Amino acid sequence: MSLRKLVQRSLSLDALRNMVPDIEALALYSMKSWGHGHVINTYREMKRFSFEVGILSNFGYIEPRLKDELKKNYWIVDTGYNSFPSSIPGTQYKKALLARKRIGKILSEIICERREKKLVGRDLLSCLLNWKGEKGEILSDDQIADNIIGVLFAAQDTTASVMTWIVKYLHNEPKLLESVKAEQKAIEKSNEGNLPLSWNQTRNMPITYKVVLESLRMASIISFPFREAVADVEYKGFLIPKGWKAMPLFRNIHHNPEFFPEPKKFNPSRFEVAPKPNTFMPFGSGVHSCPGNELAKLEILIMIHHLVTKFRWEVVGSQCGIQYDPFPLPLNGFQARYWKESTS
Ligand code: HEM
């Protein structure tokens, strides 16, 4: 089985079904400190949540001590990976390189324990540990660590920036927020306010789901993927010679009025009709399309459920502007004050 298939399997609908209670617990835990009216950087909070979900899907359970170590070092890598590459001690880049080495050691410890105790699960690490190539070859600890870090990286900032945009879009559209709230309150009520969300409930949130799709379109946080023509390609009378780099601009396609009328308008109801093939590709397309798309949507829906049923929020400072981190984000990570719904 190819490595990609392995990642796909660990993130399949079947695997995700069992993760709903754990993701919900992580969402509630992440929102624990909200609601006191102090200013919160929404993006930073969403990053904490998406990181926790990433850890869950990669490892299932890991010892709190190792998780804390992993978290601490991952944040150092996160701060430094995009900084000026310098090996001078004390620079962000150098610190990130050292943290990456420490992550390798932490992962080796986790891998060693799993191998010794013969622990098996459906998480990505278990799948990687059990992987056998066509000739019976297995993955080295380094290869496993690279894959784990790659998936953690692909999972965190992407999902966190989409969630931040959603909070902003809902804030800008009070009527829409009311409809989403009504949908989610009805679910909460049917659970008598304290039962956990079920898988079926997460698959039956039509208004909220359309908000997620429209946010993915509007924000188009991955503007384009990198591709290379593997053969000469003729496209609309132009020749793209074999070996040339090509960048399909998803953002332009998602904002083309021919496919999405009034593209600058946030209008989830446009998704009542399925978009034409190859006009809506927030998770890419083809052999390298995102294997984490269902997990991303699931955690976003769970986050929205608790956000709108438990909190109200007010933006702090300017609402306009975008920053790149490297994905597009509302300026300053959407700073807002959050209050518990029941309190004034
Ligand atoms: C809203 C959140 C997310 C968005 C918008 C997103 C989008 C994308 C896009 C556009 C690609 C590139 C596809 C291409 O090159 O054609 C991609 C690749 C990838 N994504 Fe995501 N992603 C998200 C969340 C996740 C999550 C939660 C995971 C894992 C848990 C994940 C794992 C991956 C991996 C492993 C790849 C590389 C696939 C390959 O090269 O074969 N992503 N993602």
Side-chain angles (χ1 to χ4, degrees):
M1 182 190 286
S2 72
L3 268 177
R4 184 182 156 83
K5 283 229 170 76
L6 209 68
V7 177
Q8 273 174 323
R9 196 171 61 177
S10 75
L11 297 167
S12 65
L13 288 180
D14 219 25
L16 297 185
R17 192 185 290 268
N18 301 315
M19 284 169 61
V20 174
D22 289 328
I23 297 177
E24 185 172 22
L26 292 174
L28 287 168
Y29 181 77
S30 306
M31 291 172 167
K32 222 167 67 169
S33 62
W34 303 18
H36 305 295
H38 55 267
V39 180
I40 282 179
N41 179 317
T42 307
Y43 179 56
R44 202 166 300 150
E45 296 297 312
M46 295 306 182
K47 269 185 86 149
R48 281 189 230 281
F49 172 47
S50 58
F51 183 75
E52 292 287 341
V53 176
I55 293 275
L56 175 73
S57 65
N58 271 274
F59 300 99
Y61 173 79
I62 50 171
E63 219 184 285
R65 173 185 65 88
L66 292 170
K67 185 159 132 183
D68 284 348
E69 280 297 304
L70 203 56
K71 218 187 280 186
K72 201 168 73 191
N73 286 294
Y74 189 86
W75 284 108
I76 302 174
V77 173
D78 189 69
T79 316
Y81 84 93
N82 221 1
S83 61
F84 183 75
S86 156
S87 55
I88 299 171
T91 56
Q92 281 189 340
Y93 191 75
K94 181 69 183 173
K95 283 184 190 164
L97 289 180
L98 294 173
R100 170 63 182 82
K101 273 197 186 144
R102 290 193 293 272
I103 292 178
K105 285 201 180 122
I106 301 163
L107 289 177
S108 288
E109 203 180 317
I110 299 171
I111 291 168
C112 195
E113 194 194 353
R114 290 265 174 120
R115 283 210 167 109
E116 257 172 32
K117 293 188 178 160
K118 296 197 169 33
L119 297 171
V120 273
R122 303 187 68 172
D123 51 86
L124 179 62
L125 177 58
S126 299
C127 295
L128 291 169
L129 283 169
N130 291 321
W131 183 81
K132 278 214 168 81
E134 278 170 13
K135 293 177 189 146
E137 65 274 30
I138 60 166
L139 296 171
S140 69
D141 287 7
D142 269 353
Q143 286 170 318
I144 293 179
D146 272 348
N147 277 286
I148 292 278
I149 293 171
V151 174
L152 270 180
F153 186 77
Q156 191 192 17
D157 288 6
T158 46
T159 319
S161 42
V162 173
M163 291 194 282
T164 309
W165 281 110
I166 290 176
V167 180
K168 178 179 162 60
Y169 294 142
L170 287 177
H171 177 269
N172 293 353
E173 305 282 342
K175 270 198 182 153
L176 186 64
L177 175 58
E178 281 315 307
S179 329
V180 171
K181 209 180 257 197
E183 178 171 86
Q184 297 300 338
K185 286 262 180 200
I187 294 175
E188 190 186 42
K189 198 169 166 210
S190 69
N191 282 0
E192 290 161 2
N194 55 19
L195 286 173
L197 280 171
S198 69
W199 169 252
N200 283 345
Q201 283 170 329
T202 66
R203 307 295 289 175
N204 194 13
M205 299 177 170
I207 301 172
T208 316
Y209 188 65
K210 286 196 274 280
V211 167
V212 176
L213 298 182
E214 177 67 341
S215 303
L216 286 162
R217 181 195 72 80
M218 278 284 278
S220 290
I221 57 134
I222 308 264
S223 308
F224 53 82
F226 297 91
R227 289 289 186 272
E228 185 179 307
V230 292
D232 285 356
V233 181
E234 214 191 301
Y235 180 71
K236 291 192 175 171
F238 293 94
L239 174 72
I240 306 173
K242 181 180 172 184
W244 275 41
K245 307 291 179 231
M247 282 180 176
L249 297 177
F250 295 151
R251 174 179 289 274
N252 287 24
I253 301 169
H254 294 166
H255 288 256
N256 183 338
E258 205 184 305
F259 309 133
F260 299 98
E262 294 188 81
K264 288 197 185 332
K265 198 170 164 199
F266 189 81
N267 175 15
S269 68
R270 65 173 92 240
F271 282 95
E272 271 156 24
V273 179
K276 287 192 192 129
N278 298 324
T279 61
F280 183 58
M281 294 168 281
F283 295 103
S285 169
V287 286
H288 285 293
S289 67
C290 179
N293 79 91
E294 289 295 343
L295 173 62
K297 287 186 280 188
L298 177 64
E299 66 181 282
I300 293 172
L301 290 168
I302 293 176
M303 182 281 296
I304 299 178
H305 173 79
H306 290 289
L307 175 78
V308 302
T309 53
K310 296 186 174 50
F311 298 98
R312 61 190 170 80
W313 60 99
E314 211 170 71
V315 70
V316 176
S318 166
Q319 273 197 52
C320 308
I322 294 183
Q323 73 183 63
Y324 293 86
D325 194 38
F327 302 114
L329 273 182
L331 194 64
N332 298 325
F334 197 69
Q335 309 239 21
R337 292 182 195 277
Y338 293 78
W339 286 275
K340 286 255 164 64
E341 257 297 31
S342 49
T343 57
S344 56

